Amino acid sequence: MSKSKGAPLPASSAGLLRFFEDETKGFKVDPRIVVSMPMSLIVVSWLIDIFMAP
């Protein structure tokens, strides 16, 4: 086997290196937005529950 073809991935990476090298189509979303949106919905629902309670 020739070294110019590239070495195989290390066994410890379990293919994760190759997964993150692939570029996918679509729009990119900042991880802070992905985390902050559900948290803000939870807070808003708590506030609605507290202030709108009968």
Side-chain angles (χ1 to χ4, degrees), residues 6-29:
L9 292 174
S12 63
S13 71
L16 294 176
L17 182 65
R18 183 163 304 195
F19 173 75
F20 286 115
E21 287 177 353
D22 293 338
E23 185 69 27
T24 58
K25 295 181 181 177
F27 58 93
K28 305 288 184 196
V29 179

Side-chain angles (χ1 to χ4, degrees), residues 1-9 18:
M1 190 153 99
S2 174
K3 289 188 179 183
S4 65
K5 290 185 179 179
L9 292 174
R18 183 163 304 195

Side-chain angles (χ1 to χ4, degrees), residues 4-54:
S4 65
K5 290 185 179 179
L9 292 174
S12 63
S13 71
L16 294 176
L17 182 65
R18 183 163 304 195
F19 173 75
F20 286 115
E21 287 177 353
D22 293 338
E23 185 69 27
T24 58
K25 295 181 181 177
F27 58 93
K28 305 288 184 196
V29 179
D30 189 20
R32 291 178 287 190
I33 294 173
V34 173
V35 172
S36 65
M37 288 301 291
M39 288 176 61
S40 64
L41 288 174
I42 291 170
V43 169
V44 167
S45 68
W46 284 345
L47 292 174
I48 289 173
D49 188 43
I50 289 171
F51 291 115
M52 300 292 186

